[in-house]
Amino acid sequence: MSRLGELAGDATGYSFAFLDEHTKRELRRRTLKAVALPGYQVAFGSREMPLARGWGTGGIQLTLSLVGPADVVKVIDQGDDASMNAVNIRALVTKTTGVRTTRDAGEATLIQTRHRIPDSPVRPGAIVVLQVPFPEPLRLVEPSDAVTRRMHAERDYSKMWLYLYEDIVRYGRISLSYRYPCMVNGTVLMDPTPIPRHDVAKLHQNPTLYLFGAGREQRVYALPPYTDVVPLDFEDHPFQTERAGAPCARCGSDTSYRTEVPGQGWLCSDTAYCDARLGVS
Amino acid sequence: MTLLAVRGLTKRYGGRVACTDVSFEVYPGEVLGIVGESGSGKSTVLQCIYLETMADNGSITLDGEELTTVDAMRRRWLRSFRMGMVHQDAARGLDLGVSAGGNIAERLLAADWRHAGRIRARGTELLSRVEVAADRVDDLASAYSGGMRQRLQLAKAMANEPPLLLLDEPTSSLDVHVQAAILDLVKELHAQTGVAMVVVSHDLGVIRLLAQRTLVMYRGRVVESGITEQVLEDPQDAYTQLLVASSL
Ligand SMILES: Nc1ncnc2c1ncn2[C@@H]1O[C@H](COP(=O)(O)OP(=O)(O)OP(=O)(O)O)[C@@H](O)[C@H]1O
Ligand SMILES: [Mg+2]
């Protein structure tokens, strides 16, 4: 092994879960505040992580601040446990904690994900951490942070409503597909991250605790269990989830979120769910 | 019963007094004119009432509610339901990047309208009331001419049928033919709806046509007030005399 390799392989001097205890405690404090104020964006001091920003640094910091030796961790990216981003994040978690990992959503106590919520039921009491590229739902209609803060404080979401109205005028329907804005407990507008509308619909009155971490923008927000999450819509243009063209060509599921893959037809995007239905792991 | 009561209104910008000790009342259904030369404080008075700027001193009540101390949420509500404004500069009163219907929709959305089809229908109806063709409802406000923008501002201001409209030089940026058409429209809307109005203009012709009562402002103060005809036929104040003489 090269000298560099030896140095890199030397994990002494690192805390359990990479971050030092003080940082983890501070992150948990911020997270508690977020849980107490569902949907509200709480600022935190984002650390340098051995990952590029935009690759899940917000999510990974939340995961690392929460993980304990007894946890079982699942990491997915776009529904796939084997994608490069998921593999790298999982490697960081296991290397710095030694905890067990799984693909089974029903077994994991802590799930970090990007762009999907598992189609299989999540284990009761588990926490789901979502990676957030853009935490501010009002960014679509207002560039200034000072103004969006004021709009939240005054619950002034008329610009967002107007955006949706204009969308209908222009395209005959609400064309937003990802980052679909939702009202949380009837008080705060929230960006649910680029999960499909199929997953947005699952957030309402969900029994799981969802945490949202934005590393670049240094924000954490949360949906505690059984929170009202209501997508903005109009009576004559109700919120609708995506419709796949066919059941999964592999496992036959007609309830999962499916995407069309050239040459293969419609397939479950949650690969662990699809495998589990076929009895492969 | 008084609809709007302004008492001792004073506003300074730095050391400059924009208006000082301005007092007047507006009764339901009445049209009050404010006239005066450029810089005399007319727009400042309207902006204080519409809560676009905070008065330094004095009180403004609308239906008995003190406006100078309301919080931001209440201010938004008041602007949607209790008063409407037509700005001197249409770009200030409209979102030019949004459709005409969308500009009106903003007010209806604030009133919790949640049916896009009905919002658009109401927008079309309001536009027809200000004599804009129904097929222009989805056009961007930026594609509207100057006269149409003033019409659109009127439609937006009236969306939730507030009891008070504030009109700041509604016609001064328009050419003469369009001016006459808009003034006719304002007169007709008043006759139809009985909405109270405060109309600001430096043009005595506009005031003569629209206002039952008139205030004359000079250097931030009200120097004369009364029935419009009396003020214009028999001005008492020296400045008003000059103003009337120069407009003949
Ligand atoms: N935002 C501001 N900042 C600084 N000074 C201002 C501001 N608005 C108004 N003023 C000053 O206050 C005074 C009154 O201005 P205001 O706009 O009320 O006059 P006006 O009667 O509406 O004039 P015009 O007929 O030209 O529209 C002027 O001296 C003006 O320069
Ligand atoms: Mg002015």
Side-chain angles (χ1 to χ4, degrees):
Chain A
M1 202 190 259
S2 71
R3 177 87 181 105
L4 200 62
E6 282 167 37
L7 284 172
D10 181 6
T12 56
Y14 282 108
S15 308
F16 176 83
F18 186 75
L19 299 168
D20 66 77
E21 291 307 314
H22 175 78
T23 299
K24 284 190 280 188
R25 196 173 306 143
E26 183 57 21
L27 274 166
R28 290 194 293 261
R29 256 188 221 125
R30 297 279 134 189
T31 303
L32 280 172
K33 180 171 173 180
V35 170
L37 297 166
Y40 177 80
Q41 300 168 50
V42 177
F44 73 93
S46 194
R47 295 300 156 123
E48 278 305 322
M49 297 301 294
L51 282 173
R53 294 214 164 149
W55 288 86
T57 53
I60 190 70
Q61 285 178 82
L62 295 184
T63 295
L64 293 174
S65 77
L66 293 169
V67 67
D71 272 308
V72 183
V73 175
K74 172 178 167 73
V75 182
I76 40 176
D77 185 2
Q78 308 252 29
D80 189 356
D81 302 70
S83 82
M84 187 178 74
N85 193 19
V87 169
N88 280 334
I89 290 174
R90 191 181 308 109
L92 179 63
V93 174
T94 48
K95 221 172 172 180
T96 59
T97 63
V99 299
R100 203 154 63 76
T101 62
T102 180
R103 292 182 72 207
D104 181 357
E107 188 196 8
T109 58
L110 191 55
I111 300 177
Q112 178 169 339
T113 169
R114 168 176 174 267
H115 294 194
R116 276 311 314 276
I117 291 172
D119 277 315
S120 319
V122 170
R123 168 179 169 151
I127 298 174
V128 173
V129 174
L130 276 122
Q131 296 168 210
V132 180
F134 305 103
E136 180 49 74
L138 294 170
R139 190 62 73 231
L140 208 53
V141 294
E142 175 53 56
S144 152
D145 244 353
V147 176
T148 57
R149 263 198 297 273
R150 182 194 60 70
M151 287 161 84
H152 283 299
E154 295 173 12
R155 219 176 287 173
D156 176 7
Y157 297 130
S158 55
K159 272 196 173 177
M160 194 69 236
W161 281 107
L162 188 56
Y163 178 93
L164 297 179
Y165 172 82
E166 290 282 294
D167 221 24
I168 292 169
V169 165
R170 223 166 287 162
Y171 306 108
R173 64 190 174 87
I174 295 176
S175 69
L176 280 184
S177 52
Y178 295 108
R179 299 185 58 207
Y180 198 99
C182 298
M183 280 303 279
V184 175
N185 280 345
T187 54
V188 185
L189 194 70
M190 187 194 88
D191 186 326
T193 83
I195 55 176
R197 284 171 295 168
H198 173 94
D199 290 345
V200 170
K202 291 193 274 192
L203 293 174
H204 181 60
Q205 285 291 318
N206 193 295
T208 303
L209 168 61
Y210 288 90
L211 301 179
F212 300 80
R216 187 177 41 210
E217 310 240 4
Q218 318 208 12
R219 292 287 184 281
V220 52
Y221 50 101
L223 294 174
Y226 303 105
T227 301
D228 285 344
V229 181
V230 181
L232 300 190
D233 65 359
F234 288 92
E235 286 156 33
D236 50 341
H237 290 270
F239 173 80
Q240 277 175 339
T241 56
E242 298 85 355
R243 291 204 196 296
C248 175
R250 198 165 161 262
C251 77
S253 174
D254 60 358
T255 56
S256 66
Y257 178 67
R258 281 146 285 154
T259 54
E260 199 171 13
V261 181
Q264 298 178 57
W266 292 88
L267 293 174
C268 289
S269 103
D270 183 340
T271 54
Y273 165 87
C274 195
D275 284 349
R277 282 173 53 86
L278 290 172
V280 282
S281 51
Chain B
M1 230 295 264
T2 317
L3 176 65
L4 175 73
V6 176
R7 291 267 162 276
L9 180 67
T10 298
K11 174 73 189 176
R12 286 176 217 89
Y13 288 104
R16 180 181 293 120
V17 173
C19 69
T20 184
D21 201 23
V22 171
S23 300
F24 61 89
E25 278 113 41
V26 178
Y27 296 93
E30 188 187 24
V31 182
L32 176 79
I34 303 182
V35 71
E37 65 185 12
S38 185
S40 56
K42 308 181 296 294
S43 293
T44 302
V45 170
L46 284 200
Q47 283 158 13
C48 288
I49 297 169
Y50 200 57
L51 301 176
E52 284 188 330
T53 185
M54 287 308 291
D56 294 326
N57 268 305
S59 121
I60 302 165
T61 57
L62 184 62
D63 264 336
E65 178 180 8
E66 179 58 54
L67 302 189
T68 55
T69 51
V70 298
D71 66 15
M73 277 174 94
R74 182 70 184 168
R75 180 175 66 212
R76 226 159 8 97
W77 187 88
L78 286 162
R79 281 190 196 161
S80 285
F81 295 95
R82 303 302 296 161
M83 49 187 169
M85 174 102 151
V86 173
H87 289 80
Q88 187 165 1
D89 174 12
R92 225 175 133 171
L94 299 175
D95 189 337
L96 295 179
V98 164
S99 71
N103 272 281
I104 298 170
E106 198 188 311
R107 286 296 138 90
L108 302 174
L109 290 164
D112 291 331
W113 288 51
R114 293 293 179 262
H115 189 290
R118 266 182 234 136
I119 290 172
R120 191 166 170 279
R122 169 80 172 148
T124 309
E125 175 199 323
L126 284 159
L127 283 177
S128 78
R129 267 166 74 180
V130 296
E131 290 151 13
V132 172
D135 64 358
R136 304 297 302 265
V137 65
D138 296 335
D139 288 7
L140 286 182
S142 59
Y144 271 31
S145 69
M148 287 170 80
R149 288 180 191 183
Q150 294 311 81
R151 292 174 191 274
L152 176 54
Q153 282 205 80
L154 272 167
K156 178 179 182 176
M158 295 190 314
N160 293 321
E161 294 172 359
L164 178 66
L165 291 185
L166 307 169
L167 311 181
D168 192 357
E169 308 272 8
T171 58
S172 60
S173 62
L174 307 172
D175 69 47
V176 186
H177 293 89
V178 187
Q179 276 191 15
I182 300 280
L183 291 176
D184 279 348
L185 173 65
V186 171
K187 226 174 146 56
E188 198 180 307
L189 289 175
H190 178 254
Q192 278 172 12
T193 63
V195 63
M197 300 181 178
V198 180
V199 182
V200 156
S201 182
H202 62 268
D203 181 346
L204 287 182
V206 171
I207 298 297
R208 199 189 301 271
L209 186 70
L210 296 178
Q212 291 137 9
R213 266 191 320 125
T214 295
L215 306 183
V216 182
M217 288 188 69
Y218 180 62
R219 296 192 174 175
R221 289 181 183 278
V222 176
V223 292
E224 183 151 355
S225 68
I227 307 291
T228 303
E229 240 165 76
Q230 280 174 13
V231 169
L232 298 185
E233 298 306 319
D234 184 19
Q236 302 299 305
D237 176 79
Y239 169 73
T240 316
Q241 289 168 357
L242 198 68
L243 191 72
V244 171
S246 65
S247 80
L248 288 175

